[in-house]
Amino acid sequence: MKYSFSSRIEAVKSSAVRDILKLTQGQGIISFAGGLPAEEWFPIDALKSASEEVFRMGTQAFQYGLTEGATSLRERIAKRMLTYRNIPVELDEIMITSGSQQSLDLFAKAMIDPGDVVLVENPTYLACLQVLQLYGANVIGVESDDYGMIPEDIEAKLKQYKPKFVYVVPTFSNPTGRVWSVERREVLLRLCTEHEVLILEDDPYGELRFSNNKVPNIAALEGNVANRIVAYTSTFSKTVTPGMRTGWIIADKRVIQRLARGKQSSDLHSSVFDQLILSELLESATFSLDDHIHKLSLVYKERMETMATHLQQDEPWREAVWKMPQGGMFFWVELPEGLDAEALLKCAVGKGVAFVPGTPFFAGAAKRNTMRLNYSFAEPEVIHTGMDRLGEAVGEFLGRHV
Ligand code: PMP
């Protein structure tokens, strides 16, 4: 049988991270590749109690539900959004999705006709690049530095391309771990407001902060306006568990209506059972999500510092350029010019450690000497061993190739 697949799906490359994850499963390979949370910190007991509550509700959790999501969960997320993020939300401005990945997919589905331009940071979240590619977007990278997108370049590209939207991960970004300055957030909002271009703010990591230094979300800077230009998405994947596939998106209600139409053709609605468990968890008398997130952030900070010690002190990293993350799950490392991180990966896997090369995170020309290292998944002792192996690979590689 010769299968005749759509040109749309044939044009999409498989995710480099997912391919690497496949490669590393069950092989004794230490993985700094995926964006996996620490599974020993999943709040299993609290989830068990919450699910028992849901079973006590009777059949409700097992019937079809609303496309927009379970009302109680939407209300509770809306309350959290206001309290913790200063983002005001009405019930018809929020929809539950099967993870923020689905928010990205539905937003692109609702907004993009083939050939439409989307502006992104460079580098940016590679699975969003995949989504944009699937819908035939013309993805243009905006020059970015440690503080966010460069204002002159945003302005020039808004004028030149009249994009459908601008996609950003401004807080503890994937892959760079960067946090945009408040000024850069304000500039993006002002320019997009002037040009009437939507912003999609993707914020899965914002709560995993290593200090008290809280930067406002772009959606919070916009506040309670009649015609929101900011759509905001977040998720329980990084703070509770990714396996429950539950996230949310906040946008103008006309946008939400279109996203709901798109969701009906994808999965009708997200799992009611999972939504109700999470809804119970948010109001639990015995479990505090805030305390949990606080603990998790301390755990991740320790792991980040463990990895940082190697990057700072081990000889092979001497010429590498990187910044200490202030939150989130990733280091972004720039190796000496000329070193190809994809070739390094093969050598590293041979030594029993994996990471993600930077190349697939770029829209357009890539910096091939970059890599993303995840520190949230492995425990500190494992990080030590993994960084010893990786250091050896980098050392050999530098000796051989530079
Ligand atoms: N956006 C970004 C920036 C991410 O890093 C991820 C997870 N890797 C997602 C969206 C998707 O997360 P989920 O679908 O699990 O909510």
Side-chain angles (χ1 to χ4, degrees):
M1 169 69 187
K2 188 177 177 300
Y3 296 106
S4 170
F5 295 111
S6 70
S7 43
R8 186 175 55 243
I9 204 73
E10 290 301 79
V12 175
K13 288 181 233 112
S14 164
S15 150
V17 182
R18 304 242 128 238
D19 291 348
I20 293 162
L21 282 176
K22 244 191 258 168
L23 193 80
T24 57
Q25 256 159 25
Q27 310 257 346
I29 291 175
I30 294 174
S31 180
F32 300 140
L36 304 191
E39 55 203 32
E40 66 281 14
W41 284 89
F42 290 159
I44 300 288
D45 290 340
L47 286 168
K48 189 160 177 263
S49 309
S51 66
E52 281 161 5
E53 280 303 315
V54 174
F55 274 109
R56 273 194 277 279
M57 290 174 189
T59 56
Q60 188 187 339
F62 303 98
Q63 188 51 281
Y64 282 116
L66 295 174
T67 298
E68 289 78 6
T71 307
S72 70
L73 182 61
R74 285 154 72 211
E75 281 170 353
R76 286 166 189 179
I77 294 173
K79 198 167 103 189
R80 267 189 85 79
M81 285 287 99
L82 186 62
T83 316
Y84 292 96
R85 301 307 183 90
N86 210 14
I87 302 173
V89 194
E90 300 292 334
L91 206 59
D92 55 5
E93 294 173 320
I94 179 168
M95 184 170 83
I96 304 298
T97 55
S98 299
S100 46
Q101 186 65 37
Q102 191 184 46
S103 307
L104 308 182
D105 181 67
L106 295 177
F107 196 80
K109 193 194 261 190
M111 295 300 169
I112 293 172
D113 286 319
D116 283 346
V117 170
V118 175
L119 300 184
V120 299
E121 289 162 271
N122 221 4
T124 192
Y125 175 46
L126 73 90
C128 185
L129 291 177
Q130 226 180 359
V131 168
L132 297 173
Q133 197 185 4
L134 190 65
Y135 290 105
N138 178 12
V139 183
I140 306 284
V142 176
E143 281 171 41
S144 310
D145 64 15
D146 285 343
Y147 307 99
M149 282 178 172
I150 309 285
E152 294 72 25
D153 202 43
I154 309 172
E155 187 158 23
K157 286 182 173 152
L158 284 173
K159 280 188 187 144
Q160 184 181 350
Y161 294 108
K162 308 204 178 334
K164 267 295 172 72
F165 63 91
V166 184
Y167 169 73
V168 290
V169 190
T171 314
F172 316 134
S173 153
N174 180 3
T176 62
R178 279 174 191 155
V179 188
W180 286 38
S181 67
V182 183
E183 294 72 25
R184 290 285 178 87
R185 291 167 195 248
E186 283 168 347
V187 169
L188 179 69
L189 182 61
R190 177 175 57 74
L191 290 173
C192 286
T193 307
E194 277 169 27
H195 289 264
E196 296 196 327
V197 171
L198 296 173
I199 299 170
L200 177 53
E201 179 179 23
D202 186 8
D203 187 32
Y205 304 102
E207 299 205 44
L208 299 172
R209 235 179 311 115
F210 302 152
S211 74
N212 289 328
N213 192 7
K214 202 169 172 180
V215 183
N217 287 108
I218 301 175
L221 293 173
E222 181 179 43
N224 197 1
V225 293
N227 298 296
R228 284 174 190 262
I229 65 149
V230 183
Y232 169 97
T233 179
S234 190
T235 177
F236 289 108
S237 288
K238 313 296 177 179
T239 52
V240 182
T241 128
M244 295 175 84
R245 307 305 308 127
T246 307
W248 61 94
I249 183 160
I250 294 166
D252 185 279
K253 66 178 182 218
R254 287 162 297 173
V255 175
I256 294 290
Q257 283 161 5
R258 269 53 175 201
L259 300 182
R261 269 188 230 165
K263 187 167 168 64
Q264 280 160 8
S265 76
S266 296
D267 60 1
L268 299 182
H269 60 78
S270 299
S271 156
V272 181
F273 185 59
D274 291 302
Q275 291 183 63
L276 293 183
I277 292 173
L278 288 162
S279 179
E280 283 303 306
L281 194 77
L282 288 181
E283 290 291 299
S284 166
T286 51
F287 173 83
S288 154
L289 183 57
D290 305 322
D291 291 351
H292 179 68
I293 291 171
H294 181 65
K295 262 186 265 162
L296 209 52
S297 302
L298 292 177
V299 170
Y300 289 171
K301 182 166 187 266
E302 188 200 357
R303 293 180 186 195
M304 181 276 288
E305 285 167 350
T306 306
M307 197 172 260
T309 313
H310 286 270
L311 293 172
Q312 272 160 345
Q313 295 176 1
D314 297 354
E315 172 61 23
W317 300 102
R318 201 166 31 103
E319 291 169 62
V321 179
W322 53 276
K323 284 250 156 46
M324 197 80 117
Q326 297 166 50
M329 296 187 170
F330 306 107
F331 277 100
W332 179 250
V333 182
E334 211 169 308
L335 297 160
E337 202 74 46
L339 197 151
D340 184 344
E342 284 186 10
L344 174 68
L345 175 64
K346 292 203 182 80
C347 172
V349 169
K351 294 191 179 297
V353 63
F355 62 88
V356 188
T359 314
F361 296 96
F362 286 90
K367 281 190 172 178
R368 302 189 62 82
N369 56 329
T370 51
M371 64 201 286
R372 189 193 76 176
L373 298 177
N374 167 268
Y375 50 77
S376 59
F377 181 64
E379 295 188 45
E381 314 80 74
V382 180
I383 292 181
H384 283 307
T385 312
M387 287 305 282
D388 286 345
R389 292 179 187 176
L390 190 55
E392 214 178 287
V394 173
E396 270 182 29
F397 226 72
L398 285 170
R400 239 189 297 145
H401 293 272
V402 175

